[in-house]
Amino acid sequence: MLLGASLVGLLLFSKLVLKLPWTQVGFSLLFLYLGSGGWRFVRIFVKTIRRDIFGGMVLLRVKAKVRRYLREQRTVPILFASTVQRHPDKTALIFEGTDTHWTFRQLDDYSSSVANFLQARGLASGDVAALFMENRNEFVGLWLGMAKLGVEAALINTNLRRDALRHCLTTSRARVLVFGSEMAPAIFEIQASLDPSLSLFCSGPWEPSTVPAGTEHLDPLLEDAPTHLPSRPNKGFTDKLFYIYTSGTTGLPKAAIVVHSRYYRMAALVYYGFRMRPDDIVYDCLPLYHSAGNIVGVGQCLLHGMTVVIRKKFSASRFWDDCIKYNCTIVQYIGELCRYLLNQPPREAEHQHRVRMALGNGLRQSIWTDFSSRFHIPQVAEFYGATECNCSLGNFDSQVGACGFNSRILSFVYPIRLVRVNEDTMELIRGPNGVCLPCQPGEPGQLVGRIIQQDPLRRFDGYLNQGASNKKIAKDVFQKGDQAYLTGDVLVMDELGYLYFRDRTGDTFRWKGENVSTTEVEGTLSRLLDMADVAVYGVEVPGTEGRAGMAAVANPAGSCDLERFAQLLEKELPLYARPIFLRFLPELHKTGTFKLQKTELRKEGFDLAVVKDPLFYLDARKGRYVPLDQEAYTRIQAGEEKL
């Protein structure tokens, strides 16, 4: 009886709500039935039908709103104006560092003053302004004010220095750079090579001697600027909002394009999918130059009227105290953050908070249950989605370890797929007809999403660099003639359609919550060491999330000034991108197409029992590379050595 009712409900849902042809619905169910061994289909159906219909309804709700806002040419500032109108005096943002509370009206006024000031300085819709600042309320007000004018903000990672920082400013073609006073030393390092026409503005404590010549103090200028709403720019729902810089295979950071509809979609999918409420209070200690902190987190404030607590940087020791102080009900995380919290000694505060949901990505199955049970968090809201990707996932029913799901019954609704891939090269494996081969349950594959540019949920906006965009697109993936976005991530699907994350093994890996481009690090190391062959890859370290960077260097001489090398690296690469381990060997083997062979190097890692070449590791206390001996190796394996 239950199965029959569920099946009828599914058919009606597919036909009346999704408006799919009867033939498509019927054949999909028939193929699943036959492909699943008959009665196994019944088991899959019963266990997943409720989840799948809920996910489908969330998708339809967001899609309906996206189509409406597309028709009405809404933008994020216009949607924010509606939020302000609903509750102008409600607290919008709290900056923990100074305990500063901004109401929605205050955020609206501040952002309008930004727009009017920039307009008075000659900026107009379509111009770019770079923002280089640590987390605080002003960060949100600045990019939102730029958006009110139609100016596109380039949100620059505060870890970047020298070449990478200069690259971001140059490629964005920014006319203005707004930086926090805390970032002044980094600007000093590159000021000689900056475009003389670039206007510099500093926000925060002002000391003229600490900023580059010609810099103006922004704060008093904004206080004198009018707060009326500027005239509406010629921008629509699919136009550019801002740029987020993400590492990749091109060597230097790439500017991922975030359009207004994408900002809305990312924030709305988690809001509806995880059943958030307007009275929730979000604790956001993630960087605002990344999409998790600035879209998934701050987006709940701008679009749905939540209060968001911003912290300058994550602190494991202060985390639960902050949550209690500000009555937070939702906390954001990345996988490493959860492990850091678990490594803290037990405290009373971890039982006194009101947090009901942990929202984020990268929480590994090995610590998932420990995290939720120790800190008494009933809902873990794990999601998957890169800044530029068109195939976001959500684990809407808190399946332990899963980053989302792809319905095995309604797979024709959401065009994503795991396809077979060579995990070392990330090359797609194709069948005799040239189309990619789908993975079966239990078989790892690369996640791909079909590109449909006319559909705001399926479009791929890519990067400012068209060449970088083209590298993320594959043809003939689902069928001949189509295009799909390549995530670069290897996942595995179980029988019920739940998807589980596997670390990147291609040209990028994750460490300290950041994507590390092996190409970028290899280029930097080759230059600093004056060595032609350097292979960079990620290796697993017990008790840590992601993979630690390791560099194998072809150095027949076997000598290197490692102390000076560490000093140079500190200036050239952000902390998360500096290799933790070094391996010096006579030569590096290459493939027939002259690519460095990393498979065996990755497998051998830094295991002293296997590797006989000289090994070194970056001693965090000394700030330099020291030999990896058995004692140090044992400490690292036991999690006693800080990396």
Side-chain angles (χ1 to χ4, degrees):
M1 181 70 72
L2 176 62
L3 175 61
S6 299
L7 186 56
V8 170
L10 173 63
L11 292 173
L12 291 174
F13 172 81
S14 302
K15 181 62 181 175
L16 301 179
V17 180
L18 301 181
K19 300 185 182 345
L20 297 171
W22 284 119
T23 52
Q24 186 175 1
V25 176
F27 278 120
S28 297
L29 292 173
L30 177 62
F31 290 149
L32 178 59
Y33 179 81
L34 295 175
S36 300
W39 281 106
R40 197 166 62 201
F41 162 78
V42 177
R43 175 178 170 273
I44 295 172
F45 183 92
V46 170
K47 284 182 171 290
T48 62
I49 183 60
R50 184 175 179 181
R51 176 201 70 183
D52 293 358
I53 289 182
F54 173 77
M57 293 301 293
V58 168
L59 195 63
L60 285 172
R61 185 172 188 176
V62 173
K63 194 168 187 175
K65 285 180 174 287
V66 165
R67 284 178 172 171
R68 174 187 161 197
Y69 296 154
L70 183 62
R71 220 173 30 247
E72 298 172 353
Q73 288 298 285
R74 301 284 187 101
T75 60
V76 168
I78 292 174
L79 295 173
F80 172 67
S82 299
T83 306
V84 176
Q85 192 173 25
R86 287 198 302 273
H87 30 59
D89 298 319
K90 179 182 177 180
T91 300
L93 299 174
I94 301 173
F95 177 50
E96 179 279 334
T98 56
D99 203 27
T100 304
H101 293 58
W102 281 12
T103 65
F104 282 91
R105 192 198 312 274
Q106 287 174 310
L107 176 56
D108 189 36
D109 288 346
Y110 181 89
S111 56
S112 290
S113 68
V114 170
N116 288 314
F117 169 74
L118 292 178
Q119 187 175 51
R121 290 300 181 100
L123 270 72
S125 180
D127 287 332
V128 177
L131 184 54
F132 189 48
M133 178 186 292
E134 290 181 341
N135 287 6
R136 59 177 184 265
N137 293 356
E138 287 82 359
F139 187 104
V140 179
L142 284 162
W143 75 253
L144 180 60
M146 295 170 187
K148 285 184 174 182
L149 187 62
V151 169
E152 299 149 14
L155 309 180
I156 300 179
N157 187 323
T158 54
N159 290 294
L160 299 182
R161 296 294 184 273
R162 298 199 173 186
D163 287 348
L165 176 57
R166 188 184 301 110
H167 168 80
C168 292
L169 293 172
T170 303
T171 57
S172 68
R173 298 183 179 177
R175 292 186 54 191
V176 165
L177 168 60
V178 177
F179 62 92
S181 53
E182 69 280 0
M183 307 311 300
I187 303 302
F188 254 120
E189 289 184 331
I190 63 169
Q191 63 172 326
S193 59
L194 292 177
D195 188 331
S197 65
L198 180 68
S199 300
L200 302 179
F201 298 97
C202 177
S203 175
W206 176 250
E207 177 52 57
S209 62
T210 65
V211 297
T215 302
E216 298 182 68
H217 191 202
L218 181 64
D219 300 349
L221 296 173
L222 293 182
E223 289 176 3
D224 295 336
T227 59
H228 63 78
L229 188 67
S231 57
R232 179 174 173 177
N234 184 26
K235 289 276 190 177
F237 203 43
T238 55
D239 286 323
K240 296 173 185 174
L241 173 60
F242 54 58
Y243 308 112
I244 287 180
Y245 285 85
T246 176
S247 61
T249 58
T250 59
L252 290 167
K254 300 179 297 184
I257 298 170
V258 177
V259 299
H260 292 263
S261 62
R262 174 156 187 75
Y263 190 97
Y264 173 80
R265 187 192 83 187
M266 289 182 68
L269 281 173
V270 298
Y271 178 81
Y272 294 114
F274 295 118
R275 298 179 175 90
M276 296 180 179
R277 302 188 291 257
D279 61 346
D280 276 320
I281 299 175
V282 179
Y283 185 66
D284 187 350
C285 57
L286 305 182
L288 296 184
Y289 55 73
H290 275 176
S291 54
N294 201 16
I295 303 179
V296 176
V298 170
Q300 308 312 328
C301 166
L302 304 184
L303 303 176
H304 301 119
M306 291 188 198
T307 298
V308 173
V309 179
I310 296 173
R311 205 182 202 284
K312 185 167 90 169
K313 290 182 179 178
F314 163 70
S315 168
S317 61
R318 293 291 307 168
F319 190 90
W320 299 114
D321 293 325
D322 289 345
C323 290
I324 293 170
K325 179 178 180 179
Y326 298 110
N327 294 313
C328 297
T329 57
I330 298 175
V331 295
Q332 287 191 265
Y333 71 85
I334 54 175
E336 291 86 345
L337 186 152
C338 298
R339 192 180 292 276
Y340 296 151
L341 290 174
L342 282 171
N343 288 341
Q344 287 285 301
R347 307 177 61 224
E348 281 293 319
E350 65 189 50
H351 304 294
Q352 298 171 344
H353 60 79
R354 296 177 53 238
V355 174
R356 66 177 184 83
M357 180 193 303
L359 171 70
N361 51 64
L363 181 55
R364 293 299 184 263
Q365 192 165 0
S366 59
I367 64 171
W368 185 299
T369 303
D370 290 342
F371 176 78
S372 60
S373 60
R374 172 176 165 179
F375 300 121
H376 305 286
I377 300 178
Q379 182 182 4
V380 174
E382 175 86 4
F383 65 88
Y384 170 90
T387 301
E388 73 284 2
C389 86
N390 70 339
C391 48
S392 301
L393 304 171
N395 182 354
F396 296 149
D397 53 356
S398 296
Q399 172 74 11
V400 174
C403 61
F405 71 94
N406 187 27
S407 171
R408 300 200 64 204
I409 300 171
L410 301 176
S411 58
F412 45 83
V413 176
Y414 195 46
I416 67 170
R417 182 174 290 175
L418 289 188
V419 295
R420 293 180 60 187
V421 65
N422 181 318
E423 289 192 58
D424 290 322
T425 65
M426 298 306 288
E427 183 180 357
L428 300 176
I429 298 174
R430 299 176 181 272
N433 62 352
V435 175
C436 292
L437 298 173
C439 294
Q440 297 302 312
E443 182 180 13
Q446 181 173 184
L447 181 67
V448 298
R450 179 180 285 166
I451 297 173
I452 306 172
Q453 285 301 112
Q454 298 77 19
D455 183 348
L457 295 182
R458 302 271 59 81
R459 61 182 287 151
F460 173 59
D461 298 294
Y463 308 94
L464 275 180
N465 183 302
Q466 188 57 48
S469 297
N470 292 339
K471 290 182 179 180
K472 299 293 288 185
I473 299 174
K475 296 181 178 179
D476 304 333
V477 177
F478 291 77
Q479 62 186 35
K480 278 287 187 180
D482 69 1
Q483 290 187 323
Y485 165 78
L486 302 172
T487 64
D489 284 324
V490 177
L491 306 179
V492 63
M493 180 177 67
D494 67 15
E495 187 181 50
L496 300 180
Y498 288 106
L499 294 158
Y500 300 85
F501 184 81
R502 297 197 9 169
D503 282 327
R504 296 167 187 248
T505 55
D507 293 310
T508 59
F509 59 89
R510 286 183 71 82
W511 180 246
K512 302 295 185 183
E514 299 278 357
N515 291 335
V516 180
S517 164
T518 61
T519 311
E520 177 184 352
V521 181
E522 285 169 352
T524 301
L525 267 58
S526 295
R527 175 165 49 84
L528 296 181
L529 292 170
D530 195 23
M531 304 289 179
D533 289 342
V534 177
V536 174
Y537 44 95
V539 294
E540 295 187 34
V541 179
T544 64
E545 297 290 342
R547 294 174 184 259
M550 185 166 183
V553 182
N555 182 13
S559 61
C560 176
D561 186 347
L562 289 178
E563 187 167 349
R564 181 173 180 274
F565 173 62
Q567 293 172 351
L568 293 173
L569 268 188
E570 188 174 351
K571 296 179 180 179
E572 295 283 345
L573 291 175
L575 180 62
Y576 60 83
R578 297 170 205 160
I580 303 297
F581 301 99
L582 295 179
R583 175 180 178 177
F584 291 97
L585 64 172
E587 64 175 335
L588 290 175
H589 299 292
K590 298 180 181 179
T591 66
T593 55
F594 303 101
K595 292 183 179 179
L596 293 170
Q597 291 184 331
K598 300 181 183 180
T599 304
E600 288 303 314
L601 293 172
R602 191 182 296 115
K603 289 179 180 177
E604 294 172 352
F606 56 98
D607 188 348
L608 291 177
V610 177
V611 180
K612 302 307 177 185
D613 301 311
L615 291 174
F616 299 83
Y617 78 100
L618 185 59
D619 188 319
R621 293 166 298 181
K622 298 178 181 179
R624 57 187 173 86
Y625 288 96
V626 298
L628 180 66
D629 56 23
Q630 188 60 50
E631 183 181 346
Y633 179 81
T634 302
R635 290 199 307 272
I636 292 171
Q637 291 296 105
E640 298 171 356
E641 184 78 20
K642 182 180 179 182
L643 298 178

